């Protein structure tokens, strides 16, 4: 599984959740954790219809299988747990 954090440098909630996202990347070494800056990578953000940051998207075998919008620590942990296998 790959989890992508669609983020922006100017986004306060994105910056607040960033350390937790990094922590989870260490707690779940079986998963890949990636960040996509929506201002630098506009085509990718558009492709996945990202309209709010942060948005976390889970991919398995190249297919999006779920998303979570917002800097919600408890929900992010549950989202990762749900899709880790």
């Amino acid at each position: 599984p790959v989890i992508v954090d669609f983020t922006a440098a100017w986004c306060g909630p994105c910056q607040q959740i960033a350390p937790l996202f990094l922590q989870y990347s260490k707690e779940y070494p079986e998963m890949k954790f990636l960040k996509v800056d929506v201002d630098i990578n506009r085509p990718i953000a558009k492709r996945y219809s990202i309209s709010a940051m942060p948005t976390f998207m889970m991919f398995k075998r190249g297919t999006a299988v779920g998303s979570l919008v917002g800097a919600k620590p408890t929900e992010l942990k549950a989202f990762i747990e749900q899709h880790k296998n």
Side-chain angles (χ1 to χ4, degrees):
V2 176
I3 184 168
V4 179
D5 175 6
F6 288 92
T7 186
W10 50 264
C11 170
C14 298
Q15 304 315 313
Q16 289 175 341
I17 198 122
L20 188 60
F21 190 75
L22 178 61
Q23 176 186 324
Y24 289 156
S25 73
K26 294 173 184 172
E27 286 181 31
Y28 297 92
E30 69 277 12
M31 298 176 68
K32 291 189 188 257
F33 287 71
L34 305 174
K35 287 182 162 268
V36 172
D37 185 310
V38 297
D39 292 325
I40 295 171
N41 299 288
R42 291 181 192 268
I44 295 171
K46 185 176 180 181
R47 177 178 178 184
Y48 293 105
S49 302
I50 304 302
S51 60
M53 278 73 64
T55 294
F56 301 93
M57 290 191 76
M58 189 69 68
F59 293 84
K60 290 186 179 179
R61 295 178 195 89
T63 301
V65 295
S67 65
L68 173 70
V69 177
K72 305 170 192 166
T74 304
E75 288 88 345
L76 179 57
K77 176 88 169 180
F79 182 66
I80 292 168
E81 282 290 324
Q82 175 187 359
H83 294 287
K84 69 180 181 180
N85 296 322

Coordinates of all heavy atoms in Angstrom, one line a residue:
P1 N 0.8 -1.2 0.0 CA 0.0 0.0 0.0 C 0.9 1.3 0.0 O 1.9 1.3 0.6 CB -0.8 -0.1 1.3 CG -0.7 -1.5 1.7 CD 0.6 -2.0 1.1
V2 N 0.4 2.3 -0.7 CA 1.0 3.6 -0.7 C 0.0 4.6 -0.3 O -1.1 4.7 -0.7 CB 1.5 3.9 -2.2 CG1 2.1 5.3 -2.2 CG2 2.4 2.9 -2.7
I3 N 0.4 5.4 0.7 CA -0.4 6.6 1.1 C 0.2 7.8 0.7 O 1.5 8.0 0.9 CB -0.7 6.5 2.7 CG1 -1.7 7.6 3.0 CG2 0.6 6.6 3.5 CD1 -2.2 7.5 4.4
V4 N -0.6 8.7 0.1 CA -0.1 10.0 -0.5 C -0.7 11.1 0.3 O -1.9 11.1 0.5 CB -0.4 10.1 -2.0 CG1 0.1 11.4 -2.5 CG2 0.3 9.0 -2.8
D5 N 0.1 12.0 0.8 CA -0.3 13.2 1.5 C -0.3 14.3 0.5 O 0.8 14.8 0.1 CB 0.6 13.5 2.7 CG 0.3 14.8 3.4 OD1 -0.7 15.4 3.1 OD2 1.1 15.1 4.3
F6 N -1.5 14.8 0.0 CA -1.5 15.9 -0.9 C -1.5 17.2 0.0 O -2.4 17.3 0.9 CB -2.8 15.9 -1.7 CG -2.7 14.8 -2.8 CD1 -3.2 13.6 -2.6 CD2 -2.2 15.1 -4.0 CE1 -3.2 12.6 -3.5 CE2 -2.1 14.2 -5.0 CZ -2.6 12.9 -4.8
T7 N -0.5 18.0 -0.1 CA -0.2 19.0 0.9 C 0.2 20.3 0.1 O 0.3 20.3 -1.1 CB 0.9 18.6 1.8 OG1 1.1 19.5 2.8 CG2 2.2 18.3 1.1
A8 N 0.4 21.4 0.9 CA 0.8 22.7 0.3 C 1.6 23.4 1.4 O 1.3 23.3 2.6 CB -0.3 23.5 -0.1
A9 N 2.7 24.1 1.0 CA 3.5 24.8 2.0 C 2.8 25.8 2.8 O 3.1 26.0 4.0 CB 4.7 25.4 1.2
W10 N 1.8 26.4 2.2 CA 1.0 27.5 2.9 C -0.1 27.0 3.8 O -0.8 27.7 4.5 CB 0.4 28.4 1.9 CG -0.3 27.7 0.8 CD1 0.2 27.4 -0.5 CD2 -1.6 27.2 0.8 NE1 -0.8 26.7 -1.2 CE2 -1.9 26.6 -0.4 CE3 -2.7 27.2 1.8 CZ2 -3.1 26.0 -0.7 CZ3 -3.9 26.7 1.4 CH2 -4.1 26.0 0.2
C11 N -0.3 25.7 3.8 CA -1.5 25.0 4.5 C -1.1 24.8 6.0 O -0.3 23.9 6.2 CB -1.8 23.8 3.8 SG -3.0 22.7 4.6
G12 N -1.6 25.5 6.9 CA -1.4 25.3 8.3 C -1.7 23.9 8.8 O -0.8 23.3 9.5
P13 N -2.9 23.4 8.6 CA -3.2 22.0 9.0 C -2.2 21.0 8.4 O -1.9 20.0 9.1 CB -4.6 21.8 8.5 CG -5.2 23.2 8.5 CD -4.1 24.1 8.0
C14 N -1.8 21.2 7.2 CA -0.8 20.3 6.6 C 0.5 20.2 7.4 O 1.0 19.2 7.6 CB -0.5 20.7 5.1 SG -2.0 20.7 4.0
Q15 N 0.9 21.4 7.8 CA 2.2 21.5 8.5 C 2.0 20.9 9.9 O 2.9 20.3 10.4 CB 2.6 23.0 8.6 CG 2.8 23.6 7.3 CD 3.5 22.8 6.2 OE1 4.6 22.2 6.5 NE2 3.0 22.8 5.0
Q16 N 0.8 21.0 10.5 CA 0.6 20.5 11.8 C 0.6 18.9 11.8 O 1.1 18.3 12.7 CB -0.8 21.0 12.4 CG -0.8 22.4 12.7 CD -2.1 22.9 13.2 OE1 -3.1 22.3 12.9 NE2 -2.1 24.0 13.9
I17 N 0.0 18.3 10.8 CA 0.0 16.9 10.7 C 1.2 16.2 10.1 O 1.4 15.0 10.3 CB -1.3 16.4 10.0 CG1 -1.6 14.9 10.3 CG2 -1.2 16.6 8.5 CD1 -3.0 14.7 10.9
A18 N 2.1 17.0 9.5 CA 3.3 16.5 8.9 C 4.2 15.6 9.8 O 4.6 14.6 9.4 CB 4.1 17.6 8.2
P19 N 4.4 16.1 11.0 CA 5.3 15.2 11.9 C 4.6 13.9 12.2 O 5.3 12.8 12.3 CB 5.4 16.0 13.2 CG 5.2 17.5 12.8 CD 4.2 17.4 11.7
L20 N 3.3 13.8 12.3 CA 2.6 12.6 12.6 C 2.7 11.7 11.4 O 2.9 10.5 11.5 CB 1.1 12.9 12.9 CG 0.3 11.7 13.4 CD1 0.9 11.0 14.7 CD2 -1.1 12.1 13.7
F21 N 2.5 12.2 10.2 CA 2.7 11.5 8.9 C 4.1 10.8 8.9 O 4.2 9.7 8.5 CB 2.4 12.4 7.7 CG 2.3 11.7 6.4 CD1 1.1 11.0 6.1 CD2 3.3 11.8 5.5 CE1 1.0 10.3 4.9 CE2 3.2 11.1 4.3 CZ 2.1 10.4 3.9
L22 N 5.1 11.6 9.2 CA 6.4 11.1 9.3 C 6.6 10.0 10.3 O 7.2 8.9 10.0 CB 7.4 12.2 9.6 CG 8.9 11.8 9.7 CD1 9.4 11.2 8.4 CD2 9.7 13.0 10.1
Q23 N 6.0 10.2 11.5 CA 6.0 9.1 12.5 C 5.4 7.8 12.0 O 5.9 6.8 12.2 CB 5.3 9.6 13.7 CG 5.2 8.6 14.9 CD 4.4 9.1 16.0 OE1 4.4 10.3 16.3 NE2 3.6 8.2 16.6
Y24 N 4.2 8.0 11.4 CA 3.6 6.8 10.9 C 4.4 6.1 9.8 O 4.3 4.9 9.7 CB 2.2 7.1 10.3 CG 1.2 7.5 11.4 CD1 0.1 8.2 11.1 CD2 1.3 7.0 12.7 CE1 -0.9 8.6 12.1 CE2 0.4 7.3 13.7 CZ -0.7 8.1 13.4 OH -1.6 8.4 14.4
S25 N 5.1 6.8 9.0 CA 6.0 6.2 8.0 C 7.0 5.3 8.6 O 7.4 4.3 8.0 CB 6.7 7.3 7.1 OG 7.7 7.9 7.8
K26 N 7.4 5.6 9.9 CA 8.4 4.7 10.6 C 7.7 3.6 11.3 O 8.2 2.5 11.4 CB 9.1 5.6 11.6 CG 10.0 6.6 10.9 CD 10.7 7.6 11.9 CE 11.5 8.6 11.1 NZ 11.9 9.7 12.0
E27 N 6.4 3.8 11.7 CA 5.7 2.8 12.4 C 5.2 1.7 11.4 O 4.9 0.6 11.9 CB 4.5 3.4 13.1 CG 4.8 4.1 14.4 CD 3.6 4.7 15.1 OE1 2.5 4.1 15.0 OE2 3.8 5.7 15.7
Y28 N 5.0 2.1 10.2 CA 4.4 1.1 9.2 C 5.4 1.0 8.0 O 5.2 1.5 6.9 CB 3.1 1.7 8.7 CG 2.0 1.7 9.7 CD1 1.8 2.9 10.5 CD2 1.2 0.6 10.0 CE1 0.8 3.0 11.4 CE2 0.2 0.7 11.0 CZ 0.1 1.9 11.7 OH -0.9 1.9 12.7
P29 N 6.5 0.3 8.3 CA 7.6 0.2 7.2 C 7.1 -0.6 6.0 O 7.7 -0.6 4.9 CB 8.8 -0.5 7.9 CG 8.1 -1.2 9.1 CD 6.9 -0.4 9.5
E30 N 6.0 -1.4 6.2 CA 5.5 -2.2 5.1 C 4.7 -1.3 4.0 O 4.4 -1.8 3.0 CB 4.6 -3.3 5.6 CG 3.3 -2.9 6.1 CD 3.3 -2.4 7.6 OE1 4.4 -2.2 8.2 OE2 2.2 -2.2 8.2
M31 N 4.5 -0.1 4.4 CA 3.8 0.9 3.5 C 4.7 1.9 3.0 O 5.8 2.2 3.6 CB 2.6 1.5 4.2 CG 1.6 0.5 4.7 SD 0.3 1.3 5.7 CE -0.5 2.3 4.4
K32 N 4.4 2.5 1.9 CA 5.1 3.7 1.4 C 4.3 4.9 1.7 O 3.1 5.0 1.5 CB 5.3 3.6 -0.1 CG 6.3 2.5 -0.5 CD 6.6 2.5 -2.0 CE 7.4 1.3 -2.4 NZ 8.8 1.5 -2.5
F33 N 5.0 5.9 2.2 CA 4.4 7.2 2.5 C 5.0 8.3 1.6 O 6.2 8.5 1.6 CB 4.7 7.6 4.0 CG 3.9 6.8 4.9 CD1 4.2 5.4 5.1 CD2 2.9 7.3 5.7 CE1 3.4 4.7 6.0 CE2 2.1 6.6 6.6 CZ 2.4 5.2 6.8
L34 N 4.2 9.0 0.8 CA 4.6 10.0 -0.1 C 3.9 11.3 0.1 O 2.8 11.3 0.6 CB 4.4 9.5 -1.6 CG 5.0 8.2 -2.0 CD1 4.5 7.8 -3.4 CD2 6.5 8.2 -1.9
K35 N 4.6 12.4 -0.2 CA 4.0 13.7 -0.2 C 3.9 14.3 -1.6 O 4.9 14.2 -2.3 CB 4.8 14.6 0.8 CG 4.6 14.3 2.2 CD 5.4 15.3 3.0 CE 4.9 15.3 4.5 NZ 3.9 16.3 4.7
V36 N 2.8 14.9 -1.9 CA 2.7 15.6 -3.2 C 2.3 17.1 -2.9 O 1.2 17.3 -2.3 CB 1.7 15.0 -4.1 CG1 1.4 15.8 -5.3 CG2 2.1 13.6 -4.5
D37 N 3.1 18.0 -3.2 CA 2.8 19.4 -3.1 C 1.9 19.8 -4.2 O 2.3 19.7 -5.4 CB 4.1 20.3 -3.1 CG 3.8 21.7 -2.8 OD1 2.9 22.3 -3.4 OD2 4.5 22.3 -1.9
V38 N 0.7 20.2 -3.9 CA -0.3 20.5 -4.9 C 0.0 21.7 -5.8 O -0.4 21.8 -6.9 CB -1.7 20.6 -4.4 CG1 -2.2 19.3 -3.7 CG2 -1.8 21.8 -3.4
D39 N 0.8 22.6 -5.3 CA 1.2 23.8 -6.0 C 2.3 23.4 -7.0 O 2.4 24.0 -8.1 CB 1.7 24.9 -5.1 CG 0.5 25.5 -4.3 OD1 -0.6 25.5 -4.8 OD2 0.7 25.8 -3.1
I40 N 3.2 22.5 -6.7 CA 4.3 22.1 -7.6 C 3.8 21.1 -8.6 O 4.2 21.0 -9.7 CB 5.5 21.6 -6.7 CG1 6.0 22.7 -5.9 CG2 6.5 21.0 -7.6 CD1 7.1 22.3 -4.9
N41 N 2.9 20.2 -8.1 CA 2.4 19.1 -9.0 C 0.9 19.2 -9.3 O 0.1 18.3 -9.0 CB 2.6 17.8 -8.2 CG 4.1 17.5 -7.9 OD1 4.9 17.2 -8.8 ND2 4.5 17.7 -6.7
R42 N 0.6 20.3 -9.9 CA -0.9 20.6 -10.2 C -1.5 19.5 -11.1 O -2.7 19.2 -10.8 CB -1.0 22.0 -10.9 CG -0.7 23.1 -9.9 CD -0.9 24.5 -10.6 NE -0.3 25.5 -9.8 CZ -1.0 26.2 -9.0 NH1 -2.3 26.0 -8.8 NH2 -0.5 27.2 -8.3
P43 N -0.9 19.0 -12.1 CA -1.5 17.9 -12.9 C -1.9 16.7 -12.1 O -3.0 16.1 -12.3 CB -0.5 17.6 -13.9 CG 0.4 18.8 -14.1 CD 0.5 19.4 -12.7
I44 N -1.1 16.3 -11.1 CA -1.4 15.2 -10.3 C -2.6 15.5 -9.4 O -3.5 14.7 -9.2 CB -0.2 14.7 -9.5 CG1 0.9 14.2 -10.4 CG2 -0.6 13.6 -8.5 CD1 2.2 13.9 -9.8
A45 N -2.5 16.7 -8.8 CA -3.7 17.1 -7.9 C -5.0 17.2 -8.7 O -6.0 16.7 -8.2 CB -3.3 18.5 -7.3
K46 N -4.9 17.7 -9.9 CA -6.1 17.8 -10.7 C -6.6 16.4 -11.1 O -7.8 16.1 -11.1 CB -5.8 18.6 -12.0 CG -7.0 18.8 -12.8 CD -6.7 19.7 -14.0 CE -7.9 19.9 -14.9 NZ -7.7 20.7 -16.0
R47 N -5.7 15.5 -11.4 CA -6.0 14.1 -11.8 C -6.9 13.4 -10.7 O -7.8 12.7 -11.0 CB -4.8 13.3 -12.1 CG -5.1 11.9 -12.4 CD -3.8 11.1 -12.7 NE -4.1 9.7 -13.0 CZ -3.2 8.8 -13.2 NH1 -1.9 9.1 -13.2 NH2 -3.5 7.6 -13.5
Y48 N -6.5 13.7 -9.5 CA -7.2 13.1 -8.4 C -8.3 14.0 -7.7 O -8.7 13.7 -6.6 CB -6.2 12.5 -7.3 CG -5.4 11.4 -7.9 CD1 -4.1 11.5 -8.3 CD2 -6.0 10.1 -8.1 CE1 -3.4 10.5 -8.9 CE2 -5.3 9.1 -8.7 CZ -4.0 9.3 -9.1 OH -3.3 8.2 -9.7
S49 N -8.6 15.1 -8.4 CA -9.6 16.0 -7.9 C -9.4 16.5 -6.5 O -10.3 16.6 -5.7 CB -11.0 15.4 -8.0 OG -11.2 15.0 -9.4
I50 N -8.1 16.9 -6.2 CA -7.8 17.4 -4.8 C -8.3 18.8 -4.7 O -7.9 19.7 -5.5 CB -6.3 17.3 -4.6 CG1 -5.8 15.8 -4.8 CG2 -6.0 17.8 -3.2 CD1 -6.5 14.8 -3.9
S51 N -9.2 19.0 -3.8 CA -9.7 20.4 -3.6 C -9.5 20.9 -2.2 O -9.8 22.1 -1.9 CB -11.2 20.4 -4.0 OG -11.9 19.5 -3.1
A52 N -9.1 20.1 -1.3 CA -8.8 20.5 0.1 C -7.5 19.9 0.6 O -7.2 18.7 0.2 CB -10.0 20.1 1.0
M53 N -6.8 20.6 1.4 CA -5.6 20.0 2.0 C -5.7 20.0 3.5 O -6.2 21.0 4.0 CB -4.3 20.8 1.5 CG -3.8 20.4 0.1 SD -4.8 21.0 -1.2 CE -4.7 22.7 -1.1
P54 N -5.0 19.0 4.1 CA -4.5 17.9 3.4 C -5.5 16.9 3.0 O -6.6 16.8 3.6 CB -3.6 17.3 4.5 CG -4.3 17.6 5.8 CD -4.9 19.0 5.6
T55 N -5.2 16.2 2.0 CA -6.0 15.0 1.5 C -5.0 13.8 1.5 O -4.0 14.0 0.9 CB -6.7 15.2 0.2 OG1 -7.6 16.3 0.3 CG2 -7.3 13.9 -0.3
F56 N -5.4 12.8 2.1 CA -4.6 11.5 2.1 C -5.3 10.5 1.2 O -6.5 10.3 1.4 CB -4.5 11.0 3.5 CG -3.8 12.0 4.5 CD1 -4.6 12.8 5.3 CD2 -2.5 12.0 4.6 CE1 -4.0 13.7 6.1 CE2 -1.9 12.9 5.4 CZ -2.7 13.8 6.2
M57 N -4.6 10.0 0.3 CA -5.2 8.9 -0.6 C -4.4 7.7 -0.4 O -3.1 7.7 -0.4 CB -5.2 9.4 -2.0 CG -6.2 10.5 -2.3 SD -6.4 10.8 -4.1 CE -7.4 9.4 -4.5
M58 N -5.1 6.6 -0.4 CA -4.5 5.2 -0.3 C -4.5 4.6 -1.6 O -5.6 4.6 -2.3 CB -5.2 4.4 0.7 CG -4.5 3.1 1.1 SD -3.0 3.3 2.0 CE -3.6 3.9 3.6
F59 N -3.4 4.0 -2.1 CA -3.3 3.3 -3.3 C -2.9 1.8 -3.1 O -2.0 1.6 -2.3 CB -2.3 4.0 -4.3 CG -2.8 5.3 -4.7 CD1 -2.5 6.4 -3.9 CD2 -3.4 5.5 -5.9 CE1 -2.9 7.7 -4.4 CE2 -3.8 6.7 -6.4 CZ -3.6 7.8 -5.6
K60 N -3.5 0.9 -3.8 CA -3.0 -0.5 -3.8 C -2.9 -0.9 -5.2 O -3.9 -0.8 -6.0 CB -4.0 -1.4 -3.0 CG -4.0 -1.1 -1.5 CD -4.8 -2.1 -0.7 CE -4.7 -1.8 0.8 NZ -5.6 -2.7 1.5
R61 N -1.8 -1.4 -5.6 CA -1.5 -1.9 -7.0 C -1.8 -0.8 -8.0 O -2.4 -1.0 -9.1 CB -2.3 -3.1 -7.3 CG -1.8 -4.3 -6.5 CD -2.6 -5.6 -6.7 NE -2.4 -6.6 -5.7 CZ -3.1 -6.7 -4.6 NH1 -4.1 -5.8 -4.4 NH2 -2.9 -7.6 -3.7
G62 N -1.6 0.5 -7.6 CA -1.8 1.6 -8.5 C -3.2 2.2 -8.6 O -3.4 3.1 -9.3
T63 N -4.1 1.6 -7.8 CA -5.5 2.0 -7.8 C -5.8 2.7 -6.5 O -5.5 2.2 -5.4 CB -6.4 0.8 -8.0 OG1 -6.1 0.2 -9.3 CG2 -7.9 1.3 -8.1
A64 N -6.5 3.9 -6.6 CA -6.9 4.6 -5.4 C -8.0 3.7 -4.7 O -9.0 3.4 -5.4 CB -7.4 6.0 -5.7
V65 N -7.9 3.5 -3.4 CA -8.8 2.6 -2.7 C -9.5 3.4 -1.6 O -10.4 2.8 -0.9 CB -8.2 1.3 -2.2 CG1 -7.8 0.4 -3.3 CG2 -7.1 1.6 -1.2
G66 N -9.1 4.6 -1.3 CA -9.7 5.4 -0.3 C -9.1 6.7 -0.1 O -7.9 7.0 -0.6
S67 N -9.8 7.6 0.6 CA -9.2 9.0 0.8 C -9.8 9.5 2.2 O -10.8 9.1 2.6 CB -9.5 9.9 -0.3 OG -10.9 10.2 -0.4
L68 N -9.0 10.4 2.7 CA -9.3 11.1 4.0 C -9.0 12.5 3.8 O -7.8 12.8 3.4 CB -8.6 10.5 5.1 CG -8.7 11.1 6.5 CD1 -10.1 10.9 7.0 CD2 -7.6 10.6 7.4
V69 N -9.9 13.4 4.1 CA -9.7 14.9 4.0 C -9.6 15.5 5.3 O -10.4 15.2 6.2 CB -10.8 15.5 3.1 CG1 -10.6 17.1 3.1 CG2 -10.9 15.0 1.7
G70 N -8.5 16.2 5.6 CA -8.4 17.0 6.8 C -7.3 16.4 7.7 O -6.8 15.3 7.5
A71 N -6.8 17.3 8.6 CA -5.7 16.9 9.5 C -6.3 16.4 10.8 O -6.5 17.1 11.8 CB -4.9 18.2 9.8
K72 N -6.7 15.1 10.7 CA -7.4 14.5 11.8 C -6.5 13.3 12.3 O -6.6 12.2 11.7 CB -8.8 14.0 11.3 CG -9.6 15.1 10.7 CD -10.8 14.5 10.1 CE -11.5 15.5 9.2 NZ -12.5 14.9 8.3
P73 N -5.8 13.4 13.3 CA -4.8 12.4 13.7 C -5.5 11.0 14.0 O -5.0 10.0 13.5 CB -4.2 13.0 15.0 CG -4.3 14.4 14.9 CD -5.6 14.7 14.1
T74 N -6.6 11.0 14.7 CA -7.2 9.7 15.1 C -7.7 9.0 13.8 O -7.5 7.8 13.6 CB -8.4 9.9 16.1 OG1 -7.8 10.6 17.2 CG2 -9.0 8.6 16.5
E75 N -8.4 9.8 12.9 CA -8.9 9.3 11.7 C -7.8 8.8 10.7 O -7.9 7.8 10.1 CB -9.8 10.3 11.0 CG -11.1 10.5 11.7 CD -11.1 11.6 12.8 OE1 -10.0 12.0 13.2 OE2 -12.1 12.0 13.2
L76 N -6.7 9.5 10.7 CA -5.5 9.1 9.9 C -5.0 7.8 10.3 O -4.7 6.9 9.5 CB -4.4 10.2 9.9 CG -3.2 9.9 9.1 CD1 -3.6 9.7 7.6 CD2 -2.2 11.0 9.2
K77 N -4.8 7.6 11.6 CA -4.3 6.3 12.1 C -5.3 5.2 11.7 O -4.9 4.1 11.3 CB -4.2 6.4 13.7 CG -3.8 5.1 14.3 CD -2.3 5.0 14.4 CE -1.9 3.8 15.3 NZ -0.5 3.6 15.4
A78 N -6.6 5.4 11.9 CA -7.6 4.4 11.6 C -7.6 4.1 10.1 O -7.7 3.0 9.6 CB -9.0 4.9 12.0
F79 N -7.4 5.2 9.3 CA -7.3 5.0 7.8 C -6.1 4.1 7.4 O -6.3 3.2 6.6 CB -7.2 6.4 7.2 CG -7.2 6.5 5.7 CD1 -8.3 6.1 4.9 CD2 -6.0 6.9 5.0 CE1 -8.2 6.2 3.5 CE2 -6.0 7.0 3.6 CZ -7.1 6.6 2.9
I80 N -5.0 4.4 8.0 CA -3.8 3.6 7.7 C -4.0 2.1 8.2 O -3.7 1.2 7.4 CB -2.6 4.2 8.4 CG1 -2.2 5.5 7.8 CG2 -1.4 3.2 8.4 CD1 -1.2 6.3 8.5
E81 N -4.5 1.9 9.4 CA -4.8 0.6 9.9 C -5.8 -0.2 9.0 O -5.6 -1.4 8.7 CB -5.4 0.7 11.3 CG -4.4 0.9 12.4 CD -3.5 -0.2 12.6 OE1 -3.9 -1.4 12.6 OE2 -2.3 0.0 12.9
Q82 N -6.8 0.5 8.5 CA -7.8 -0.1 7.6 C -7.2 -0.6 6.3 O -7.6 -1.7 5.8 CB -8.9 0.9 7.3 CG -9.9 0.4 6.3 CD -10.9 1.5 5.9 OE1 -10.8 2.7 6.4 NE2 -11.8 1.2 5.0
H83 N -6.2 0.0 5.8 CA -5.6 -0.3 4.5 C -4.2 -0.9 4.5 O -3.6 -1.1 3.5 CB -5.6 1.0 3.6 CG -7.0 1.5 3.3 ND1 -7.8 0.8 2.4 CD2 -7.7 2.5 3.8 CE1 -8.9 1.5 2.3 NE2 -8.9 2.5 3.1
K84 N -3.7 -1.1 5.7 CA -2.2 -1.5 5.7 C -1.9 -2.9 5.1 O -0.8 -3.1 4.7 CB -1.7 -1.5 7.2 CG -2.3 -2.6 8.1 CD -1.6 -2.4 9.4 CE -2.2 -3.5 10.4 NZ -1.6 -3.4 11.7
N85 N -2.9 -3.7 4.9 CA -2.7 -5.1 4.3 C -3.2 -5.1 2.9 O -4.1 -4.5 2.6 CB -3.2 -6.2 5.2 CG -2.5 -6.2 6.5 OD1 -1.3 -6.0 6.6 ND2 -3.3 -6.5 7.6

